[in-house]
Structure formats: structure tokens, C-alpha cells
Amino acid sequence: MSALCLVQDGSNSFSISYEGRELIKHTEQQPAMVIGKGISDIDMFRGNFSVKEKLVEKIQLTEAKVTKVGENFEIEFSRSNEIKANVKVSTDANGRLIINIKNCCEKFNRIFFRLAANKEDHVYGCGEQFSYFDLRGKPFPLWTSEQGVGRNKKTQITFEADCKENAGGDYYWTFFPQPTFVTTQKYYCHADSSCYMNFDFSNENYHELCFWQDSTNLTIECADTYIKLIEKLTALLGRQPKLPDFIYNGVVLGIQGGSKVCSDKVKAMKDAGVKVVGIWAQDWSGIRMTSFGKRVMWNWQYSDELYPNLKEQIKEWQKEGVEFLAYINPYVASDKNLCAEAAQHGYLSKDKDGKDYLVEFGEFYGGVVDLTKKEAFDWFKNVIKNNMIELGCKGWMADFGEYLPTDTYLHNGVSAEIMHNQWPALWAQCNYEALKETGNLGNILYFMRAGFSKSQQYSTMMWAGDQNVDWSLDDGLASVVPAALSLGMSGHGLHHSDIGGYTTLFGMKRSKELLLRWCDFSTFTVMMRTHEGNRPLDNWQFDSDEETKQHFAKMVNIHVALKPYLKELVATNAKVGTPVMRPVFMHYENDAKAYELKYEYLLGEDMFVAPVYEQGATSRSLYLPKDNWINLWTGEKFNGGDITVNAPIGKIPVFYRENSKYADLFASLKNL
């Protein structure tokens, strides 16, 4: 029996189901296909995009003719037999449903395709979403950009950032958008497009997928469980390799200021009993002071002034069990030698006059290395190999990727508006190949903030980007949880964040309480790494007082003790794509309340974690799914339901399943 089923109800009314899910439903009153004509207006300022559109026409194609071709279907949508669009519905060799959508009228350049929905459906995914986990009820434009400062138009911080440079953002702004979503009907839908898109889940009867182009392909698969569904999705998009072993053995400290500062701070933390496994020195290539704060010098070779004889120094740190991690992004500072070298060989993207395109990044300019040109791609890959891997770096932040201007010109001839969303994945691929070609996959990691479709197979680790050093829901500590969960439901299962946040502007200053609470949360993620923030002197740091050092010592010990469990979760993600941080409903599918949880998560199957994200809180109310749970800190047993527990600093609500094979390990953690 075919997985596809057509029900024809009149000449212009039909529905098509796939594996029991009604996916396409068309009537004259509610057509499945709409096309339009729009004029885009996209402007970028320092990675913040103003995306506007003048929609000239939007026409519903009310007439439909369905033709069965073998086991598949072809649909001709039209209006007055003049304006037409074709849709082909078929299954491929892997059993995936493929929907090919093509607008046949040259004067139209917008597609609005509607997938049938039920009122009670929940929707998750669309890349990394910080403000919402369940996407039902809202539209989500998909365009990689800065995440925005505050990301909530009702807040003073966002207002101030918008006034200064359109940098406040909104609920849908994200470094990592992705045209992929999962519904509680247990199917995923992935669009093979990179244009500007808007996935609107606000209608009770359908999901409207808008594409700023004249054709697209949708891939859909179903499964009986969410675990199996994500396995199928990651089989399509790719999976991350296992992590280097050192990551599990302690904390990576974000330190700036040069070799001596790094050595002194590591010694002080070790003397306090903190297990330190890495120095992440983003200023390894030098610094540039701006009004924003301390910025990295974008010339990807080590600064002899700050880090003299760095290769030998790295070997000395390694003898102490401390690895060195650096920083890089896909741009080169216009006033430095790497940019001159790239320009000399024609490796930079161009402006409309054929000159090298330079982007203003905040009081300095950078050239865009044209990764669509093989020679430029290989050149940058060799910069990574020679200046970082050969140096002895065991990792780095592979930053940015979302800044590609839409008015630049690329070697491959494809519009930069179409390439814009693809750029982070191309940047990830450059890093990935550098590791693979030097035999370092699984030995070295890089972590990225920006991404898009296929980043899954090329990015070894994500981090949540530049959260505020505050308690805001949309851009503070709390926002990292839905970010990790939505990314996991989009097929990327490895995620961590800057302990304490990063963005320090408009009077924000990181408090001691926030740093400690963020440390508590990060203990129960796959990687612990600190960041000083863009204005380090305004922020409480890991070594600001003895109590903070002792807190890190305790929490890092717990994280290290979790190593066997975390390694198993990472191995599972590498094998079948199941994320390390999981939504509660992934293992409790029949619990209706589990679908509403957005600031709680499962670490694997056996641990339930509820971070404390409210300032001054000493307890937390939460919902536990029905199971036999044990409070990690007290040993008290719970069977699920709504509860309130004490949650002092250092003891955020964490529960483990009584019948876990790791129960003895978990029970031992309270004594550390």
C-alpha cells in the first residue's frame, strides 16, 4: 500500500495524506497555494539587518487539477487558467516524501505554500530560537543575523540598542535560523532553500511557508517516536562527531591579556581546587580597542607582543594538563597583512564596481573572504591549518558567519541574498575540512554561533552567542534553554553557552549572583566555558573573590564526575543524532504538560534539570513528568507533578531517574 493517499472532494477540493498525516488540504475558500510579487529592501549595519518588502501582489490559486502518476501526484494550481504553479508530490528511494513547488509565472517571485495543520499541534525547531520553544501561534522569519540586544521590543535595553544602531532585535532574530520544523503529528518538514523565508504557524488550520523565490523543495518524514524522528532528520542533514576527551575533564577559562595573565589566572584557579582543562584566549591575535569595548584583532596569526613564543608556551601549558583554544572568523582586517594577501590573490568578495568589498564592523573594516571561490576557500583553510592547528591549538571559537552583505558579488555568480543564509554552513565546512584533512576530527573542536542547514555535518559544537549579562527572558540566562532545545529539534545536538553571558552595554554589569547561577546551569551541559564579556572590568569574573573560585571548584568537580554519562550522550548524538539536551516530551510523549516546558530540559534520558533564572530566587516551582525521580541534592523521592523545591546557589533543581544505570554515580554527586 502506498504511503500517499488522495481524497478528492469536488473539482477544486482535495487532500493528500502521507503515512496517515494530512499534509496538503485545498479548497477554493482556503487554497494550499498562493503566489506573489514582492520587492525586497535589505540593509545591513554591523550584522543587524533591516529586512523590508513591498508586496505588490498576492494571489490565491483557487483552482486545482490533481493527476496521479504511478504512486505519486502532480497538482496544477491556477487562477482563471492564467496564473499557474505546479506541485509534484512523490517519495524518493529512501521513502522520504518530496514536495517540489514551482511557480510558473515569471512576473511572480514569492511562494506561499500551506501545509495542513490541526489546532492542537505543537511546532518546534526552525534552528536556534531564544524566545519561544513551541513556535505555534507566531510567524518566524528565517534570516541569519546578529541575535539582537534584548530581543524584546517592550524592554528599555532593546529600545536603547535600536536607537543606537538598529541592534535591539526581536523575538525571531537568531544567528542560526533553519527552514526545518517538527510537529506533534511526529513528522519533520525541511525546506531545501536558502532565500529569505517566513514560516508562519499562527493559523489554526495550516502552516504557511513563505519563500522569496519562485521554487523550492520540501522533504518530509514521519516516525512513531521523536527519538526516531530526529534520527531520520539527522540522517538527512548530518551529525556532529564526538568531542575531544579533554572537554569533559574540567572548565575552559576565557582569559585575555597575554601569556602571563593566562598563566597567573590558571594557577590561581588551580590553587583554589578548580579543574582547568583549557585557556580560551580570544585575543591570541592581538586586540583593538573600540567604543564597544575590547575587540579581537582580525588577523589570524598569534600576537608576539601578547603571546611571545606561543607555540612553546602552549607545550608548557599542555604539560600542566591545560590546552590552548583561540579565535577566528571568516573576515580579515583591512589594515593587516592577511587582508592584503587575500586581496592580492583575488580572494575577497567584490562590490558592484569590481573592487574588494569591505564591511564596517564597528570602527574598523574587514574584507569578506569569498568562500565560493575554491582557491580562496583553500587559502583560508590553510590559514587555519598553519596558524592554528600547527601552532598547537586544541580548539577555537569560529565566530560570525552571519554578516554576508546582500549587495556583495561572489565568485560563484549566485546572488548574495541567496547565499546569505548558506554562509555560516560554508564557514563551518572550511573549519571542518581543516580538521579532517589534518586527521584532527575528534581531537580538536571549534564552536560556532551562526549556522544554517547542513551546519549539522560540519560544526563540531555550537554556543549560544552573545547573551546579555542580565536576567532577561529573551536574551539572558533563561534564553539559552529554549535555544539549545530548538537547535536539538533541528538536528544539532551539541550546545553550550558563555558562563555569565557576554553583552555588557547600556549600564548592564554582570553580578556575582548571575555568574554563579550560570555556572550552576553550565555544570549540567556538555561543556563549561567562561567569557569575560566585551567590557571585562564591568563584570564579575570567575576569580573576583575566593567564594566564586570555590563555587567553580565545586561545580566543575560535579561536571567532571558526570564524564561517563556525558560521553555516552555525545556518542549517541554522533551515532543517531539524539541531542544531549532534550525536551522533556522527547521521553514523555503522553504527558501533555511536557510540551509546554521551555525552561527545563532532560540531560540525556536520566536527568531532569531546571535552571534558576530569576534574580534573588532561592526556590523554584516546576513540573516533573510522571516517573520515579530522586532529588540530586537531598535524596528525596518524587513521582512527578507540580512541586516547589529549595534551590540555593550551587543546588539548582536536578533530579535523576531512580532506575537509571547511572543512579549510583548521580547519588555520589551531592557529596562533592
Side-chain angles (χ1 to χ4, degrees):
M1 177 181 289
S2 172
L4 283 171
C5 178
L6 169 69
V7 176
Q8 191 90 39
D9 184 20
S11 59
N12 282 320
S13 180
F14 71 90
S15 67
I16 294 178
S17 298
Y18 173 64
E19 295 192 4
R21 286 87 164 166
E22 185 181 57
L23 294 179
I24 303 176
K25 183 177 178 62
H26 174 85
T27 65
E28 289 186 5
Q29 295 74 31
Q30 193 168 286
M33 188 72 194
V34 180
I35 59 175
K37 179 180 179 180
I39 301 171
S40 62
D41 179 9
I42 302 176
D43 186 44
M44 181 188 79
F45 181 67
R46 298 179 184 173
N48 304 298
F49 285 83
S50 171
V51 182
K52 299 177 182 178
E53 177 191 34
K54 180 181 179 181
L55 190 59
V56 180
E57 289 183 89
K58 187 175 181 181
I59 299 176
Q60 296 186 338
L61 303 188
T62 55
E63 301 157 19
K65 178 182 178 183
V66 184
T67 303
K68 187 171 184 181
V69 182
E71 297 295 324
N72 305 317
F73 300 100
E74 294 185 1
I75 310 164
E76 182 184 82
F77 291 99
S78 61
R79 182 70 174 260
S80 302
N81 288 319
E82 294 180 358
I83 304 169
K84 296 183 179 181
N86 291 331
V87 174
K88 296 181 179 179
V89 184
S90 61
T91 54
D92 67 9
N94 296 304
R96 297 174 178 134
L97 181 69
I98 308 297
I99 302 178
N100 306 101
I101 306 167
K102 173 65 178 175
N103 158 42
C104 300
C105 298
E106 289 187 4
K107 77 170 188 174
F108 294 100
N109 59 0
R110 301 287 188 264
I111 293 172
F112 304 84
F113 189 72
R114 294 168 176 173
L115 288 173
N118 298 323
K119 180 179 179 180
E120 64 273 16
D121 289 347
H122 299 278
V123 177
Y124 307 94
C126 282
E128 188 177 26
Q129 298 294 335
F130 296 89
S131 295
Y132 294 91
F133 179 41
D134 185 353
L135 310 182
R136 200 71 164 103
K138 298 188 79 66
F140 286 84
L142 302 175
W143 184 257
T144 180
S145 70
E146 285 278 0
Q147 71 182 41
V149 179
R151 307 182 64 263
N152 186 325
K153 296 301 185 186
K154 297 180 181 179
T155 64
Q156 180 68 23
I157 290 294
T158 298
F159 172 75
E160 291 187 52
D162 276 337
C163 288
K164 186 171 184 179
E165 49 190 44
N166 189 38
D170 212 332
Y171 70 89
Y172 55 85
W173 281 36
T174 175
F175 297 117
F176 194 147
Q178 187 176 302
T180 309
F181 64 90
V182 170
T183 88
T184 43
Q185 292 191 49
K186 294 197 180 80
Y187 74 80
Y188 77 74
C189 174
H190 173 72
D192 185 19
S193 293
S194 64
C195 62
Y196 183 89
M197 291 166 275
N198 187 358
F199 283 15
D200 190 344
F201 304 107
S202 57
N203 192 287
E204 291 183 353
N205 301 314
Y206 57 79
H207 308 313
E208 184 175 83
L209 314 182
C210 172
F211 303 88
W212 285 16
Q213 60 184 29
D214 62 3
S215 65
T216 191
N217 296 326
L218 304 180
T219 300
I220 295 174
E221 281 191 276
C222 306
D224 295 331
T225 68
Y226 297 109
I227 296 286
K228 189 65 179 177
L229 188 61
I230 298 303
E231 181 179 351
K232 289 185 175 183
L233 174 60
T234 55
L236 174 72
L237 298 177
R239 299 171 182 136
Q240 304 83 59
K242 296 178 184 178
L243 294 172
D245 194 70
F246 78 89
I247 288 299
Y248 305 100
N249 296 330
V251 63
V252 175
L253 297 177
I255 308 173
Q256 300 182 75
S259 297
K260 186 177 187 309
V261 173
C262 290
S263 292
D264 290 348
K265 286 182 177 287
V266 167
K267 183 179 185 304
M269 293 298 278
K270 283 191 166 187
D271 288 347
V274 181
K275 292 182 172 69
V276 180
V277 294
I279 296 164
W280 172 57
Q282 66 171 6
D283 66 346
W284 75 291
S285 57
I287 62 172
R288 186 193 300 269
M289 293 305 301
T290 71
S291 60
F292 178 77
K294 185 184 291 187
R295 301 288 300 272
V296 176
M297 182 60 69
W298 292 9
N299 197 52
W300 314 123
Q301 53 197 38
Y302 79 84
S303 166
D304 195 56
E305 180 182 355
L306 285 174
Y307 297 92
N309 277 325
L310 183 55
K311 188 169 186 177
E312 296 305 314
Q313 179 63 68
I314 288 174
K315 292 177 181 178
E316 292 301 312
W317 283 324
Q318 288 175 334
K319 291 177 183 177
E320 302 170 10
V322 178
E323 300 292 354
F324 185 80
L325 292 82
Y327 174 99
I328 193 172
N329 66 51
Y331 314 103
V332 281
S334 62
D335 55 348
K336 294 297 176 179
N337 63 291
L338 283 181
C339 186
E341 182 179 339
Q344 179 184 355
H345 294 289
Y347 293 162
L348 301 179
S349 69
K350 307 300 180 183
D351 63 17
K352 60 182 178 59
D353 298 319
K355 298 178 181 179
D356 292 336
Y357 193 110
L358 297 179
V359 181
E360 198 270 315
F361 283 102
E363 299 166 37
F364 68 94
Y365 288 83
V368 181
V369 179
D370 189 346
L371 299 176
T372 71
K373 187 172 187 176
K374 185 181 184 306
E375 295 83 359
F377 185 96
D378 290 343
W379 174 80
F380 213 151
K381 187 165 53 176
N382 284 326
V383 169
I384 295 172
K385 290 179 181 179
N386 298 330
N387 294 2
M388 302 178 81
I389 296 176
E390 200 276 332
L391 182 66
C393 297
K394 278 300 180 71
W396 52 84
M397 176 183 279
D399 204 0
F400 288 87
E402 64 287 319
Y403 272 52
L404 185 71
T406 57
D407 61 344
T408 193
Y409 291 81
L410 302 168
H411 178 75
N412 67 354
V414 178
S415 161
E417 185 175 325
I418 298 298
M419 288 300 301
H420 173 81
N421 276 337
Q422 292 185 38
W423 208 252
L426 198 56
W427 170 225
Q429 183 179 352
C430 185
N431 286 267
Y432 182 90
E433 290 187 9
L435 263 59
K436 186 175 182 180
E437 291 170 11
T438 57
N440 279 299
L441 279 178
N443 183 43
I444 294 174
L445 88 158
Y446 50 92
F447 40 101
M448 308 188 70
R449 68 178 188 178
F452 191 65
S453 305
K454 301 298 177 74
S455 283
Q456 288 83 352
Q457 64 179 303
Y458 292 126
S459 180
T460 58
M461 168 76 84
M462 297 303 300
W463 107 93
D466 299 342
Q467 281 71 53
N468 287 350
V469 292
D470 68 9
W471 301 90
S472 62
L473 291 179
D474 293 275
D475 201 19
L477 167 58
S479 70
V480 178
V481 180
L485 297 181
S486 60
L487 206 57
M489 294 302 287
S490 302
H492 203 302
L494 300 180
H495 190 273
H496 78 295
S497 61
D498 296 331
I499 295 177
Y502 168 79
T503 301
T504 312
L505 295 170
F506 310 116
M508 285 185 284
K509 295 183 179 182
R510 181 198 295 153
S511 68
K512 179 178 179 179
E513 181 188 2
L514 179 65
L515 181 66
L516 299 187
R517 282 303 194 189
W518 214 307
C519 177
D520 292 348
F521 159 59
S522 294
T523 301
F524 300 96
T525 67
V526 73
M527 180 178 174
M528 295 186 75
R529 179 184 54 81
T530 67
H531 200 311
E532 294 182 347
N534 60 297
R535 293 180 178 174
L537 296 179
D538 288 344
N539 291 325
W540 194 268
Q541 303 295 352
F542 58 75
D543 57 352
S544 288
D545 71 3
E546 194 61 33
E547 185 180 24
T548 303
K549 295 178 190 176
Q550 291 302 315
H551 185 80
F552 268 82
K554 172 192 170 184
M555 302 313 294
V556 172
N557 279 344
I558 293 171
H559 180 76
V560 172
L562 284 170
K563 178 178 179 177
Y565 184 58
L566 292 173
K567 286 192 71 171
E568 182 177 296
L569 300 183
V570 171
T572 299
N573 177 71
K575 183 178 180 181
V576 296
T578 312
V580 173
M581 294 173 66
R582 304 171 187 174
V584 176
F585 65 75
M586 185 168 277
H587 292 288
Y588 297 91
E589 296 185 355
N590 297 321
D591 190 328
K593 287 200 71 171
Y595 293 89
E596 302 171 6
L597 303 181
K598 116 189 216 188
Y599 297 124
E600 302 82 18
Y601 63 95
L602 294 173
L603 184 65
E605 184 177 3
D606 293 344
M607 297 193 86
F608 177 100
V609 184
V612 174
Y613 53 86
E614 294 182 343
Q615 185 176 12
T618 58
S619 65
R620 184 167 167 192
S621 298
L622 54 92
Y623 175 79
L624 275 173
K626 187 176 180 180
D627 209 328
N628 296 318
W629 297 102
I630 298 177
N631 186 312
L632 182 69
W633 313 112
T634 68
E636 187 179 0
K637 295 184 179 181
F638 296 87
N639 299 119
D642 294 304
I643 63 172
T644 299
V645 295
N646 290 330
I649 288 175
K651 294 184 178 180
I652 62 171
V654 179
F655 303 82
Y656 62 89
R657 292 197 309 122
E658 186 176 22
N659 64 346
S660 168
K661 69 179 182 180
Y662 289 98
D664 290 342
L665 169 62
F666 298 150
S668 71
L669 299 180
K670 66 181 179 181
N671 299 318
L672 295 177

